[in-house]
């Protein structure tokens, strides 16, 4: 184990998991720098974790049954069919996933970060530089500190990646995700929709994925994501990565989502967008990229700082947690930081690339070049999905 002083930039999923990994991997002193000053737990909506990936991450001590989850079993694909409330069922595919509410999941991960880790909330890192056998970190408070290694867990606009792999820029995929979540009690005739069903409400040029998540207090929230191209007058600076937090969505973008809900989705699924209050709705433009390396000198990248795959992969949070398991393994078996970071890069760079490729392939089939859904039946859907997910990596690959 190389020991030493480690800085982790970002205290979200990848940051908390990396802090845990560095602690277990024997780092002597760990500091997490997180830009947000309050807790992150009151933000976020839903995410899903494949059962097999959960089992691996549980056995490695990064997820536990104490994190509130809901078990789903199947994906039902619906296409609008006149006034039929749910639409026509195109077909059913397995969906062995647990769903999570991002906030409580992050809260539990944060609680597992050992007390010995210095967690500096409200501290923004402005710049990181390689400095011989160390890395230097400059804070927005004017501080400058040296570390044996810096892990960039600072998301898709990472400052650590800017130092490790300058020139890598997220690329806009040409469409948006409108996301919302609201208390399940608000949903009329909820009994029409079994709790174990994840729904794909598909239409030409996009789809909505809809599932319930735990609310963290014993109840459920309805979570949905609508993928489609924006209207031409969207007014967003989409060439540089951007996101609009809940409550700040423009009227034009809200009206566009409601229009899709009213004209492209069957009534039961379309109503979900109307039941979502403006403060519960936000958009996330779709970007993807992969850094060529997960480690350079004394800098390492984890989670979205290293690669962003489109959410169709069902594996964003899993990828971030798997990065942490790989960091822990590399630190545990290496005797120096260069050795550990070389092993980390070798183990995670191919996995990151594979997920980005899968996200592009699924985005192509589910949004950009959609099949004629109205002509598909169960056999047609199975055949189409096999082609779309050619690698079979939906939900993430196993830890290698
Ligand atoms: C508040 C929040 C809510 C989210 N909700 C969901 C959700 O509901 N569903 C879902 O699928 N995904 C959600 N995500 C994204 C999800 O966490 C990631 O896609 C994935 O889990 C990988 O996480 P990450 O830690 O790599 O990146 P992120 O979760 O994006 O975390 C990056 C962290 O780095 C911090 N940071 C960035 N730059 C700096 C800097 N210069 N100095 C210091 N700190 C910095 C940010 O404040 C942030 O906390 C959310 C992310 C955040 C931050």
């Amino acid at each position: 184990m190389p020991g030493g002083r480690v800085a982790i930039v970002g205290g979200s999923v990848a940051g908390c998991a990396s802090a845990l990994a560095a602690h277990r991997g024997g780092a002597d002193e760990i500091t997490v720098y997180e830009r947000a000053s309050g807790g992150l737990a009151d933000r976020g909506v839903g995410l899903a974790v494949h059962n097999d990936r959960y089992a691996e991450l549980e056995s490695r001590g990064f997820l536990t049954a104490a994190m509130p989850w809901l078990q789903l079993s199947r994906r039902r694909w619906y296409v609008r069919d006149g006034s039929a409330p749910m639409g026509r069922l195109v077909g059913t595919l397995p969906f062995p996933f647990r769903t999570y509410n991002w906030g409580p999941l992050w809260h539990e991960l944060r609680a597992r970060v050992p007390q010995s880790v210095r967690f500096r909330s409200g501290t923004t890192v402005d710049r990181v530089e390689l400095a011989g056998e160390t890395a230097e970190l400059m804070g927005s408070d004017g501080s400058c500190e040296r570390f044996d290694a810096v892990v960039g867990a600072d998301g898709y606009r990472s400052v650590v990646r800017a130092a490790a792999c300058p020139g890598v820029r997220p690329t806009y995929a040409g469409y948006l995700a409108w996301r919302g979540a609201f208390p399940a009690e608000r949903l009329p005739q909820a009994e029409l929709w079994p709790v174990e069903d994840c729904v794909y409400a598909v239409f030409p040029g996009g789809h909505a994925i809809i599932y319930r998540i735990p609310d963290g207090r014993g109840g459920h929230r309805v979570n949905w994501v609508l993928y489609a191209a924006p209207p031409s007058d969207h007014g967003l600076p989409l060439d540089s990565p951007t996101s609009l937090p809940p409550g700040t969505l423009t009227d034009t973008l809200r009206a566009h989502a409601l229009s899709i809900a009213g004209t492209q989705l069957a009534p039961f699924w379309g109503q979900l967008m109307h039941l979502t209050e403006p403060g519960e709705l936000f958009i996330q433009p779709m970007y993807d990229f992969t850094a060529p390396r997960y480690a350079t000198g004394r800098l390492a990248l984890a989670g979205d700082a290293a690669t962003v795959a489109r959410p169709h992969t069902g594996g964003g949070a899993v990828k971030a947690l798997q990065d942490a398991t790989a960091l822990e393994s590399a630190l545990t078996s290496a005797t120096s930081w260069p050795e550990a970071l070389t092993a980390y890069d070798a183990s995670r760079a191919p996995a990151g690339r594979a997920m980005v490729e899968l996200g592009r392939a699924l985005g192509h089939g589910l949004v950009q070049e959609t099949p004629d859904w109205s002509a598909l039946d169960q056999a047609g859907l199975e055949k189409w999905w096999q082609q779309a997910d050619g690698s079979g990596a939906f939900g993430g690959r196993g830890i290698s």
Side-chain angles (χ1 to χ4, degrees), residues 202-222:
V202 292
F203 57 88
H207 68 286
I209 175 165
I210 304 155
Y211 54 80
R212 292 179 180 87
I213 56 174
D215 65 5
R217 297 183 297 277
H220 295 160
R221 288 172 77 78
V222 174

Side-chain angles (χ1 to χ4, degrees), residues 10 12-14 33-35 43-46 102 123 125 153-155 303-304:
S12 173
V13 172
Y33 295 85
E34 169 52 52
R35 181 174 54 195
R43 290 155 63 181
V45 281
W102 191 92
T123 312
V125 172
D154 47 343
D304 283 1

